[in-house]
């Protein structure tokens, strides 16, 4: 992290019983083809250390697993167990059932943290505090947890009065998935026109173990230019070639895309100035050849009796 965004750790609470989901492992439920836990871990990619409180599961990103004592003691007990292992001055605290978190979530919270505050949290659209979509100063969080008479099965909201918190209103990232209806809503939302591209690119990048969105803009621009200058089917094949060339020659996809974009521009320039105006070398010959081809076709049509005069011959006169 930069000076504008200080270093932070992340605590992800992933040990809930998911009773409203029939007791299934909520962290493993997929939205957009990715488990909820993996989506949240992807949002923690800027964290120095990610601590997951819950039963260990396979994950793509390395995490530090811990359990509350005893297991099943509730979110406050889980938070207390995770806070012990945080080493950075700030800690992002996130629930595992938040499918719309992104790396920008923690950056936004950290950027909004006042110097004198103990933490900053989002509120949902109805103004309710969301302490599991928040960033806290690690020392203040530990002190507040230590001052509580008990954490096992205690409501999470009992922690908040002991902290001086700043609040950010109306975040869409606070949408959580406690029921199957909410999971269905989340699955529908990621397929909407305004979000489906971002969601798909993030999912595909995760599956391919590359950084989500890396060079995406320049690749899309290159595909657009190729589709316009050459032909629409050339666009997806060209983006494949860009990736292949990047891997083979050790260049960045952005550099490969820039080369392709320049080639497409030259291709377009030849088409426009060559065939349409005849100003480039050979352009006049291309235009004359096109005109001759058209005259030849007209002659063929005349010979076949398909000229404007009909089968009798030109201008309708008898042959």
């Amino acid at each position: 992290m930069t000076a504008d965004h200080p270093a932070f750790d992340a605590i992800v609470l992933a040990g809930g019983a998911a009773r409203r989901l029939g007791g299934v492992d909520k962290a493993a439920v997929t939205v957009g083809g990715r488990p909820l836990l993996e989506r949240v871990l992807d949002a923690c990619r800027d964290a120095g250390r990610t601590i997951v409180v819950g039963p260990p599961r396979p994950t793509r990103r390395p995490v530090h697993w811990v359990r509350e004592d005893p297991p099943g003691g509730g979110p406050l007990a889980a938070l207390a167990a995770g806070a012990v292992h945080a080493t950075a001055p700030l800690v992002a605290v996130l629930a595992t059932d938040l499918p719309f978190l992104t790396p920008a979530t923690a950056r936004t919270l950290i950027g909004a943290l006042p110097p004198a505050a103990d933490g900053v949290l989002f509120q949902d659209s109805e103004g309710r505090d969301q302490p599991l979509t928040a960033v806290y100063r690690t020392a203040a969080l530990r002190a507040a947890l230590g001052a509580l008479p008990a954490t096992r099965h205690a409501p999470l909201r009992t922690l908040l009065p002991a902290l001086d918190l700043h609040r950010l209103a109306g975040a869409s990232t606070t949408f959580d998935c406690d029921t199957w209806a909410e999971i269905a809503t989340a699955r529908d939302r990621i397929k909407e026109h305004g979000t489906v591209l971002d969601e798909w690119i993030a999912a595909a990048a995760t599956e391919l173990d590359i950084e989500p969105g890396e060079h995406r803009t320049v690749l899309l621009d290159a595909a657009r230019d190729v589709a316009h200058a050459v032909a629409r089917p050339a666009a997806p094949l060209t983006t494949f070639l860009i990736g292949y060339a990047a891997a083979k020659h050790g260049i960045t996809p952005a550099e490969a895309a820039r080369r392709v974009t320049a080639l497409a521009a030259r291709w377009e320039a030849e088409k426009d100035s060559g065939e349409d105006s005849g100003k480039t070398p050979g352009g006049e010959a291309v235009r004359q050849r096109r005109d001759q081809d058209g005259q030849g076709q007209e002659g063929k049509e005349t010979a076949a009796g398909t000229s404007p005069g009909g089968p009798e011959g030109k201008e309708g006169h008898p042959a």
Side-chain angles (χ1 to χ4, degrees), residues 242-256:
I242 288 171
Y244 182 80
K248 182 176 181 179
H249 299 300
I251 61 176
T252 66
E255 172 59 25

Side-chain angles (χ1 to χ4, degrees), residues 298-314:
E298 181 181 350
K300 291 176 183 179
E301 292 174 350
T302 301
T306 57
S307 63
E312 296 84 2
K314 291 186 179 181

Side-chain angles (χ1 to χ4, degrees), residues 158-186:
T158 61
L159 173 69
L160 302 187
L163 295 166
D164 179 12
L165 298 174
H166 180 64
R167 290 162 170 83
L168 298 179
S172 61
T173 53
T174 60
F175 180 90
D176 58 3
C177 293
D178 286 329
T179 67
W180 287 113
E182 289 168 339
I183 289 172
T185 297

Side-chain angles (χ1 to χ4, degrees), residues 263-288:
L263 173 62
R266 297 196 300 271
W267 186 292
E268 178 76 356
E270 289 180 2
K271 180 179 68 175
D272 291 343
S273 59
E275 292 195 22
D276 295 340
S277 67
K279 292 180 180 178
T280 58
E284 181 63 29
V286 170
R287 187 174 62 182
Q288 289 176 356

Side-chain angles (χ1 to χ4, degrees), residues 5 20 32 34 45 51 54 67 72 79-81 105 109 112 117 119 138 166 181 193 199 204 235 240 288 297 307 313:
H5 297 289
R20 285 188 280 178
R34 292 190 291 162
R45 78 169 77 107
I51 303 142
R67 289 304 312 262
L79 179 55
T105 303
L109 287 165
T138 305
H166 180 64
H193 176 71
E199 289 288 348
F240 163 76
Q288 289 176 356
Q297 181 64 30
S307 63

Side-chain angles (χ1 to χ4, degrees), residues 3 17 146 151 154 195 209 229 266 280:
T151 58
T195 56
D209 196 24
R266 297 196 300 271
T280 58

Side-chain angles (χ1 to χ4, degrees), residues 161-249:
L163 295 166
D164 179 12
L165 298 174
H166 180 64
R167 290 162 170 83
L168 298 179
S172 61
T173 53
T174 60
F175 180 90
D176 58 3
C177 293
D178 286 329
T179 67
W180 287 113
E182 289 168 339
I183 289 172
T185 297
R187 288 171 173 171
D188 288 340
R189 275 181 58 180
I190 68 167
K191 296 176 183 176
E192 293 174 354
H193 176 71
T195 56
V196 65
L197 180 60
D198 288 339
E199 289 288 348
W200 170 251
I201 293 298
T206 299
E207 193 69 21
L208 297 172
D209 196 24
I210 59 177
E211 283 301 314
E214 186 177 19
H215 309 302
R216 189 187 70 177
T217 300
V218 72
L219 289 174
L220 286 175
D221 288 346
R224 177 202 62 206
D225 292 341
V226 168
H228 175 74
V230 185
R232 285 187 178 276
L237 293 173
T238 301
T239 54
F240 163 76
L241 293 175
I242 288 171
Y244 182 80
K248 182 176 181 179
H249 299 300

